[in-house]
C-alpha cells in the first residue's frame, strides 16, 4: 500500500471515529435544531374606533333573588359571560318595582323562577310585547301566584310539581351543532324541573329524554320569551346553553369567540414500557414498543392529516417514583432515542413539544389524592424544583434552541408549591394546561381560560379519551358555543387502563374516529393550532373590543385592541348577500362565523327592503 492510500485510510478512519463520537454525543441535534419562533413579533394592536362613545355596547337587564343561592349563582354566571362578551348589564333584585327597561335593551335575563314575585314583571312583559326578548334561566316557581297574563306570555298553561329529569335531547339548532342529539347514556346531565303544560303555540327547543320540556320559545307581541325548565348547574357544562340563551336575545346577535381546536398527547413522547402487554399482543401480535411504533403512532399521524389536527405532546423523562434528589437521566440510549424519534416526527407533523414531568409523580405534597393515583408525595418544593430542572435540562439537550412553553401536570394534579416550582425551573414557561372542570374529590387543578398578569396562560383541556362518553360530548359542544374552543387529549397507553379492559385497539380507533368525524362535520370552522399557537387567538379574544351598528340593510362591526383577527359568532335569521371587510361563513341554521382583520366590516342582507 503506498503512502497516499495509507493517508487516505487514516483520514477515513479518523472521520468515521469522529462521526460516531459526534453522533453518540447528539451533535447532529445541533445541526438541524428545531426552533419555534416568537408568538407575536412587533405586530401592534388596532387603535380604538373614534366614534365608540357614540354607540352603546349591547345592554342587558338581569333580575335576581338575593336570598336564593341558585338565583345568585345564575346571576353571577350571566354577568361573567356578558363581561367576557364585552357587553354591559344592569342587575336588579326581584322586589325592585319600576325597572324602566330601555327599548334598545338586547334582553332581560330572569335569574329567578319566581315569576309571581317579580315586582317589575309588567315592565318586562311590556318590553317583550314591543319587540324585546326575555329569558328565564330557572324553572318557573309557583310558590307565589302567577297571573294569567304572565302565564300566557311565557307560553304556559299549567305548572305542576318538581321532578328530576334525566338527560337532554335537542330538537332544534338552539345550541349550535346539537340539533337531533341526545345526551343521556354515561352522562350526569340531570336537572330539577317542573311538570308543566305548554301552550299550543310554544316551540320546544329541548326536552328531557322522558319528554319534559326543558327549553322553549314563545312569541309574545312583537318579541319572544325563551325559558329553561331547570336549575343552575354546579359544573360548567351548561355554559353553552347560557351562551345560546343570550345569543337568542334580539335580532342579529354577535359575540366574540376564539375559534380554535387543540389536541394534546398526554405522556408523549416518553420512555416506552418494555415487554409484551398480553391484551395488545393477543390482538396485534406486537410487543408494547412495537405497538407504539407500528400501530398507535402511525394511526395518530394519519388522524392528524385526516382531521387537520396539530398535536401538542408533553414529555416525560422517566416513569420512576423518585421524589428526592439528585435527579438523573436514565442510563442507556433507548429511552432517549425514543423521545428524539417520536418528538421529531411530532414536530415535523406541525405539532409542539411541552413538558409533563421528570416522572409521573404529580407535584404535590401529601393530601392531593396521591393515594388514589398510587403516587409518592413530595416532601419539599426544592425537590420539585430540582426534578423539573432536570427535565428541562434533558429536554433542552434533545432539542437545543427549542422553547418549551407548555406544562401539563401529571394526572392533572398541581399544588401551589408545584406550580411555583415549575415556574422557577422552566424560564420559558407560558402555558399550563390542566382541566376545565370536574369533581372536587379528584383534587385536580381546575382552570378557567385566562391570561395571567405575568403574561402566562391558563389553557385547560375539556375532553379526553378514545371513547368519549355522552357528558364529554356535551361538554365539547357547550364550550364551542361558549368560546369557540375544542381542546381534547388522549394517552398512548389508554389500552392498558383497567377502565379499558373490555375495549380493543380496534374499538378505540373506531371511537375516536366517530368522535372526530362528528366534531369535524359540525365545527369545520375551528382553526387547528398547537397550544403556543393558540395564544395569538386567545390574545385577540381577550383583548378585542367592538361595537355593533344594526340597520335594516346591514350589520356594521367596528373592532379594535386586537392584533391578528377578530372572530365572532353571529345569530341572524337574515340571509347574507355580501360582506365588506370580513368573511362570514354559514356554520349552522341562522349562524355565521365572522372573521375580520381590519378596523371595520359590514354584512349586507339580501332582500332587506
Amino acid at each position: 500500500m503506498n503512502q497516499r492510500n495509507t493517508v487516505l485510510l487514516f483520514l477515513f478512519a479518523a472521520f468515521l471515529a469522529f462521526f460516531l463520537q459526534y453522533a453518540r454525543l447528539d451533535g447532529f441535534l445541533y445541526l438541524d435544531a428545531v426552533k419555534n419562533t416568537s408568538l407575536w413579533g412587533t405586530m401592534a394592536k388596532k387603535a380604538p374606533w373614534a366614534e365608540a362613545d357614540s354607540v352603546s355596547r349591547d345592554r342587558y337587564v338581569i333580575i335576581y333573588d338575593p336570598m336564593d343561592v341558585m338565583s345568585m349563582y345564575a346571576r353571577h354566571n350571566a354577568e361573567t359571560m356578558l363581561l367576557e362578551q364585552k357587553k354591559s348589564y344592569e342587575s336588579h333584585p326581584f322586589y325592585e318595582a319600576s325597572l324602566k327597561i330601555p327599548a334598545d335593551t338586547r334582553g332581560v335575563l330572569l335569574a329567578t323562577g319566581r315569576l309571581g314575585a317579580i315586582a317589575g314583571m309588567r315592565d318586562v312583559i311590556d318590553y317583550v310585547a314591543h319587540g324585546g326578548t326575555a329569558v328565564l334561566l330557572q324553572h318557573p316557581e309557583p310558590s307565589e301566584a302567577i297571573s294569567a297574563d304572565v302565564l300566557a306570555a311565557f307560553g304556559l298553561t299549567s305548572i305542576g310539581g318538581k321532578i328530576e329529569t334525566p338527560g337532554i335531547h335537542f330538537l332544534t339548532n338552539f345550541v349550535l351543532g346539537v340539533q337531533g342529539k341526545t345526551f343521556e347514556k354515561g352522562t350526569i346531565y340531570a336537572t330539577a324541573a317542573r311538570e308543566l303544560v305548554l301552550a299550543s303555540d310554544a316551540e320546544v327547543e329541548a326536552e328531557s329524554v322522558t319528554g319534559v320540556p326543558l327549553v322553549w320559545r314563545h312569541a309574545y307581541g312583537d318579541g319572544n320569551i325563551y325559558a329553561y325548565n331547570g336549575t343552575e348547574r354546579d359544573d360548567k357544562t351548561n355554559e353553552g346553553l347560557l351562551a345560546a340563551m343570550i345569543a337568542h336575545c334580539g335580532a342579529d346577535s354577535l359575540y366574540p369567540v376564539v375559534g380554535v381546536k387543540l389536541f394534546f398527547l398526554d405522556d408523549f413522547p416518553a420512555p416506552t414500557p418494555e415487554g409484551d402487554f398480553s391484551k395488545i399482543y393477543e390482538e396485534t401480535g406486537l410487543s408494547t414498543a412495537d405497538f407504539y411504533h407500528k400501530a398507535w403512532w402511525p394511526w395518530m399521524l394519519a388522524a392528524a392529516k385526516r382531521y387537520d389536527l396539530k398535536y401538542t405532546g408533553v414529555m416525560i423523562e422517566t416513569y420512576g417514583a423518585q421524589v428526592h434528589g439528585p435527579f438523573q437521566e436514565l442510563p442507556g440510549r433507548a429511552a432517549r432515542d425514543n423521545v428524539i424519534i417520536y418528538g421529531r416526527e411530532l414536530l415535523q407533523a406541525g405539532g409542539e413539544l411541552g413538558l409533563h414531568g421528570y416522572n409521573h409523580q404529580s407535584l404535590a405534597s401529601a393530601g392531593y389524592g396521591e393515594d388514589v393515583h398510587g403516587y409518592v408525595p413530595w416532601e419539599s418544593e426544592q425537590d420539585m424544583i430540582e426534578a423539573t430542572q432536570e427535565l428541562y435540562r434533558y429536554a433542552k439537550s434533545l432539542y437545543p434552541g427549542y422553547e418549551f412553553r407548555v406544562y401539563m401536570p401529571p394526572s392533572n394534579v398541581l399544588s401551589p408549591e408545584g406550580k411555583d416550582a415549575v415556574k422557577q425551573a422552566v424560564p420559558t414557561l407560558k402555558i399550563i394546561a390542566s382541566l376545565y372542570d370536574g369533581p372536587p374529590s379528584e383534587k385536580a387543578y381546575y382552570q378557567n381560560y385566562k391570561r395571567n398578569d405575568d403574561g402566562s396562560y391558563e389553557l385547560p383541556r375539556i375532553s379526553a379519551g378514545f371513547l368519549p362518553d355522552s357528558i364529554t360530548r356535551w361538554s365539547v359542544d357547550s364550550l364551542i358555543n361558549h368560546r369557540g374552543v375544542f381542546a381534547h387529549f388522549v394517552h398512548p397507553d389508554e389500552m392498558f387502563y383497567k377502565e379499558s379492559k373490555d375495549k380493543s385497539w380496534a374499538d378505540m380507533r373506531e371511537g375516536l374516529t366517530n368522535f372526530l368525524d362528528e366534531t369535524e362535520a359540525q365545527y369545520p370552522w375551528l382553526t387547528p393550532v398547537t397550544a403556543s399557537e393558540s395564544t395569538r387567538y386567545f390574545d385577540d379574544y381577550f383583548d378585542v373590543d367592538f361595537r355593533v351598528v344594526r340597520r335594516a340593510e346591514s350589520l356594521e362591526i367596528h373592532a379594535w385592541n386586537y392584533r391578528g383577527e377578530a372572530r365572532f359568532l353571529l345569530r341572524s335569521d337574515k340571509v347574507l348577500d355580501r360582506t365588506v371587510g370580513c368573511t362570514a361563513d354559514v356554520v349552522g341554521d341562522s349562524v355565521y362565523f365572522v372573521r375580520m382583520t381590519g378596523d371595520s366590516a359590514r354584512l349586507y342582507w339580501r332582500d332587506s327592503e
Side-chain angles (χ1 to χ4, degrees), residues 380-393:
S380 74
E381 183 177 327
Q382 187 59 35
D383 281 324
M384 300 180 196
I385 293 171
E386 291 176 8
T388 310
Q389 285 174 334
E390 164 52 25
L391 169 66
Y392 184 62
R393 180 212 63 78

Side-chain angles (χ1 to χ4, degrees), residues 476-489:
V476 168
D477 292 321
S478 181
L479 188 74
I480 291 175
N481 275 267
H482 178 192
R483 300 179 189 270
V485 176
F486 171 86
H488 191 74
F489 72 99

Side-chain angles (χ1 to χ4, degrees), residues 28 42 56 145 153 199 201 213 218 261 284 299 307 311 315-316 419 421 471 489 496 509 561 565 584 591 604:
F28 288 100
T42 58
S56 299
D201 59 346
H218 187 248
K261 60 178 176 181
T284 66
W299 190 86
Y307 299 107
Y311 294 138
M315 297 169 52
I316 286 178
K419 184 176 181 180
I471 194 62
F489 72 99
F496 310 153
R509 290 198 312 267
N561 208 37
E565 188 171 78
V591 183
Y604 290 91

Side-chain angles (χ1 to χ4, degrees), residues 126-148:
D126 288 345
Y127 157 77
V128 173
H130 288 87
T133 306
V135 173
L136 178 62
L137 301 178
Q138 303 278 284
H139 66 66
E141 176 56 61
S143 52
E144 294 90 5
I146 303 173
S147 63

Side-chain angles (χ1 to χ4, degrees), residues 34 51 71 118 149 181 208 270 296 303 363 452 460 545 578 589 601:
V34 180
E51 300 177 37
S71 177
I118 296 175
D149 59 335
K181 287 186 180 181
S208 74
W296 182 85
L363 296 182
N452 298 315
D545 203 352
R578 59 190 173 91
D589 293 341

Side-chain angles (χ1 to χ4, degrees), residues 10 42 49 74 101 108 145 150 204 299 384 459 507 568 604:
F10 173 78
T42 58
W49 182 37
I101 303 169
V108 175
V150 171
V204 178
W299 190 86
M384 300 180 196
L459 298 184
D507 292 333
F568 304 91
Y604 290 91

Side-chain angles (χ1 to χ4, degrees), residues 17-34:
F18 172 79
F19 180 90
L20 294 174
Q21 180 69 0
Y22 193 69
R24 189 179 71 82
L25 296 175
D26 296 329
F28 288 100
L29 295 176
Y30 293 84
L31 295 180
D32 187 27
V34 180

Side-chain angles (χ1 to χ4, degrees), residues 40-46 451 457 535-536 539-540 543 560-566 597:
W40 270 117
T42 58
M43 192 181 296
K45 293 181 179 180
K46 289 173 176 55
R451 183 179 56 205
Y457 299 81
T535 59
R536 293 172 60 105
D539 278 342
D540 284 340
D543 293 337
W560 62 92
N561 208 37
Y562 73 98
R563 288 182 278 192
E565 188 171 78
T597 57

